[in-house]
Amino acid sequence: MKAKWNSLIKLTRTKLILALTAVLWLETLMVYYVDFRLGIEGPLQFIISMFNPLGFVLLILSLANFFVRKKSFTISLMVLFALETLLLVANVVYYREFSDFISINTMLSAQKFNGAMGKSIVTLISPHDAIYLLNLILIIGLPFFVKNNLVSTPIRLVSKVALTCLSAFLIILNLTISEMNRPQLLGRTFDQTYIVKYLGLNFYMAYNTASKVNEDAEKNKVTTIDIDSPLQEAAQVYAKPNKKYYGIARKKNVIIIHLESFQQFLINMKVNDQEVTPFLNSLYSDKNTVSFSNFFHEVGQGKTSDAENMLESGLFGLPTGSLFNKLGPTNTFQSAPAILKQKEGYTSAVFHGNVGSFYTRTKTYKSLGYNYFFDQGYFKQTEDSNVGFGLKDKLMLKESVKYLEKLQQPFYVKYITVTNHYPFDLPDEDNDGFVKPETSDNVINNYFLTAHYLDASLREFFDYLKESGLYDRSIVILYGDHYGISDDKNETLAPLLDKDPNEWDNFDNIQLQRVPFMIHMKGIAGRVDNEYGGEIDVLPTLLHLLGVNTKNYIQLGTDLLSKQHDGNVIFRNNGMINKKYTVTKKSDGSYNIYDNKTGELLDIDPTSDLYKKIAKKYEQERHLLDISDTINQKNLLRFYTPIGFKPVDPTDYDYENQVEQLDKINNTLGNSSTSMYSQNNNKSTVSMYKTDAPESTD
Ligand code: MN
């Protein structure tokens, strides 16, 4: 019987490799659809995900072909197949625990890895894992199979090369189609999940390792001069706090509200005779708000994450890509959550309606020293609770309260809203009757609709703050992270801003990079401040309000409220703006200088003193970006720890089971617990939150 079966199957080496490739291919697909949550949308992404495991698996197994002797071929094929199986299984187990993929860093820092494996293994195992036993049988059975069933005719070199070339071709095809569906997939990695979804686990591992080697090479190229000079230059950037404001918010709760894609022009704007953002308008001119009318975003390709890293670390984003993605998990930071915890005893948290892997936030927030991170997984999901980039703002804000109320006070929390994000989708049931404008571009029209929705969400949130009493104990910071309408759409937008599209130019584009920055606190002497500033200036401003001396920290902005504030704002891409001029640098090294009052391009003689003065200022500001890049890319803060500051250990934080962690702290502290929940006699304040969101039932 056995002999018969043996003689029935005769395989060449190539066919054997193809058969084993097929096994791994099908198993990977099972993993994609059963274990991972890749967020595959639409037919093209489906097709890409179906084929992406193929090329790399084939490439790896085909390497065995290059061993001529039968024994070497067999052993190498066993090893390669076993490694591929291990990669898959380890990722499945790791994903079940961390909702993330194994990176080279995870493997190197075995601590985390063991953490996952140390958990009760039963909870990480699922019935369909039995399939992997097949691989075990295949690995063990391979030598016997080869002995009886492999045809002995030697394989020709041309066939070996052909198979490897075929796999390489499949990988390139995969890359090309993915790049078409998702331009700059690798240049601007938003989310590791995207790389796996489009290019597969093998590619992710290879890419991740290559990036790590690159970054390490950069970090290790450090000389004493490298360390000293950028840090010393950066340490010079400092503005003395304004006595009138220093410490006025000491020990208050800090609530940072990230207004997604929100531009300043929305403030006080009317469309069809209706205010777009009535609540934010009222806040803008409230007697308890210091509002800035000339505040600019300074983000580069890292968009939202660039804004976050400027606001919290006081350094700029990178020239390309997102710092959160590239360096967030491994770099050393001295950022707001850690400084406030160590100096003033703050507890910190982030609330966000998207998944935690986006912009590598789950890892980066640990490096920043955030105690808690409540991402999408912490909020109730229903069929229509999500739109575009995640949970609708009204639902996220309301649902956050059950976590917020359990934080020890004072707390430092950040809310990252998502509904006002490109492509600005808003379901009809969430529109309270706002009539959007009718330009020829629906993205522009919808932008006003989602901004209006965000505004209404914030009104509900502020109502809750007042109702619960939190309002009196908090300082609220609101800021727009970057533009929502890109430059190429501005001519279509122009008529809504009472501008002539035919006269629209780069000067106008730069003026539109204004975003809101508001400091709201009961008792602050409110006003609209016309000082020029940008996102890099927020951290020293906030720390001074909270009474924290920033002299010893490496921060590249200056306190907006200080009399010594530097009112030159440098942009990450190109350009600088200050009270008088808007300046851009041309490719030939000369400058375009516009007069802010008239918007006219000035005809200044390049040899004149004025031109030289402006050019010098521009280069000085531009140099700050270089200093920032050196500090970040070489991870220089690891060599400098400010006096009285303790470096952050990311492994101190665990964003799983956070409810249990909070309850434990509240219970342990008992009467001395300062959470709202404890102060409310262990009763929830959730019922104080009123929303008109159609999905919210309680
Ligand atoms: Mn954003």
Side-chain angles (χ1 to χ4, degrees), residues 436-457:
K436 60 185 179 183
E438 288 177 0
T439 70
S440 58
D441 190 329
N442 219 22
V443 169
I444 295 176
N445 304 340
N446 287 340
Y447 179 60
F448 292 92
L449 203 57
T450 49
H452 181 74
Y453 172 88
L454 169 58
D455 183 74
S457 315

Side-chain angles (χ1 to χ4, degrees), residues 258 260-261 303-304 421 481-482:
H258 172 110
E260 180 56 43
S261 305
K303 301 288 289 284
T304 306
H421 192 295
D481 62 339
H482 51 71

Side-chain angles (χ1 to χ4, degrees), residues 646-672:
K646 201 170 136 276
V648 173
D649 180 356
T651 62
D652 285 348
Y653 308 104
D654 173 12
Y655 298 155
E656 309 286 329
N657 314 313
Q658 297 182 109
V659 178
E660 289 81 347
Q661 294 178 44
L662 285 171
D663 284 343
K664 198 175 157 198
I665 292 174
N666 276 279
N667 290 335
T668 311
L669 289 173
N671 285 339
S672 55

Side-chain angles (χ1 to χ4, degrees), residues 326-605:
K326 290 186 170 174
L327 306 170
T330 50
N331 262 23
T332 299
F333 300 95
Q334 286 131 22
S335 57
I339 294 171
L340 289 174
K341 180 192 341 205
Q342 297 185 24
K343 298 282 160 198
E344 300 286 325
Y346 277 72
T347 298
S348 54
V350 184
F351 302 96
H352 182 38
N354 198 345
V355 293
S357 58
F358 207 83
Y359 279 131
T360 322
R361 284 191 175 98
T362 303
K363 290 176 186 156
T364 302
Y365 286 161
K366 290 177 184 172
S367 304
L368 298 180
Y370 266 110
N371 293 116
Y372 305 99
F373 176 26
F374 299 93
D375 74 341
Q376 199 175 71
Y378 277 90
F379 303 107
K380 201 163 49 195
Q381 310 280 308
T382 62
E383 216 171 280
D384 44 10
S385 58
N386 285 30
V387 57
F389 271 72
L391 191 68
K392 292 177 195 168
D393 295 339
K394 279 186 184 173
L395 302 176
M396 188 273 282
L397 287 163
K398 182 188 171 181
E399 272 212 66
S400 72
V401 166
K402 62 174 182 269
Y403 306 120
L404 182 74
E405 66 183 6
K406 293 205 172 152
L407 298 176
Q408 295 299 308
Q409 302 183 78
F411 53 65
Y412 170 92
V413 297
K414 173 162 73 169
Y415 281 89
I416 309 173
T417 61
V418 293
T419 310
N420 190 45
H421 192 295
Y422 181 88
F424 313 114
D425 289 326
L426 192 74
D428 288 341
E429 73 263 23
D430 290 298
N431 184 3
D432 61 9
F434 182 77
V435 183
K436 60 185 179 183
E438 288 177 0
T439 70
S440 58
D441 190 329
N442 219 22
V443 169
I444 295 176
N445 304 340
N446 287 340
Y447 179 60
F448 292 92
L449 203 57
T450 49
H452 181 74
Y453 172 88
L454 169 58
D455 183 74
S457 315
L458 295 174
R459 182 196 297 276
E460 294 179 349
F461 183 68
F462 268 74
D463 285 346
Y464 163 78
L465 292 181
K466 287 184 178 163
E467 185 67 29
S468 65
L470 263 184
Y471 180 84
D472 297 331
R473 280 174 271 148
S474 304
I475 179 169
V476 186
I477 307 282
L478 302 102
Y479 77 100
D481 62 339
H482 51 71
Y483 62 84
I485 306 298
S486 53
D487 285 355
D488 58 315
K489 293 182 185 296
N490 281 345
E491 283 180 34
T492 316
L493 174 73
L496 290 174
L497 308 175
D498 294 325
K499 294 270 189 182
D500 182 353
N502 299 313
E503 287 175 16
W504 194 270
D505 64 9
N506 202 29
F507 172 82
D508 300 298
N509 284 333
I510 294 175
Q511 307 312 308
L512 274 201
Q513 306 315 309
R514 284 178 169 81
V515 290
F517 180 63
M518 302 185 216
I519 302 168
H520 182 82
M521 186 181 85
K522 199 173 161 187
I524 202 171
R527 63 196 162 83
V528 174
D529 190 320
N530 299 320
E531 185 66 67
Y532 275 65
E535 287 170 332
I536 198 72
D537 300 318
V538 173
L539 184 58
T541 310
L542 176 63
L543 289 177
H544 287 169
L545 285 164
L546 298 173
V548 176
N549 185 348
T550 62
K551 189 101 185 61
N552 290 326
Y553 293 98
I554 301 294
Q555 295 168 353
L556 292 174
T558 54
D559 183 348
L560 284 157
L561 298 164
S562 163
K563 294 189 176 96
Q564 298 173 347
H565 169 70
D566 180 347
N568 296 285
V569 183
I570 189 76
F571 297 111
R572 180 76 259 194
N573 300 326
N574 181 0
M576 180 187 83
I577 191 166
N578 58 32
K579 206 156 75 184
K580 282 188 177 154
Y581 305 107
T582 297
V583 188
T584 58
K585 193 170 184 178
K586 292 191 282 188
S587 50
D588 64 6
S590 66
Y591 303 88
N592 278 330
I593 301 168
Y594 300 87
D595 182 335
N596 285 350
K597 268 207 194 94
T598 62
E600 294 303 317
L601 181 61
L602 296 177
D603 185 19
I604 312 182
D605 177 2

Side-chain angles (χ1 to χ4, degrees), residues 40-52:
I40 294 163
E41 284 167 1
L44 188 59
Q45 285 191 12
F46 173 73
I47 293 168
I48 293 172
S49 73
M50 290 300 280
F51 284 92
N52 80 28

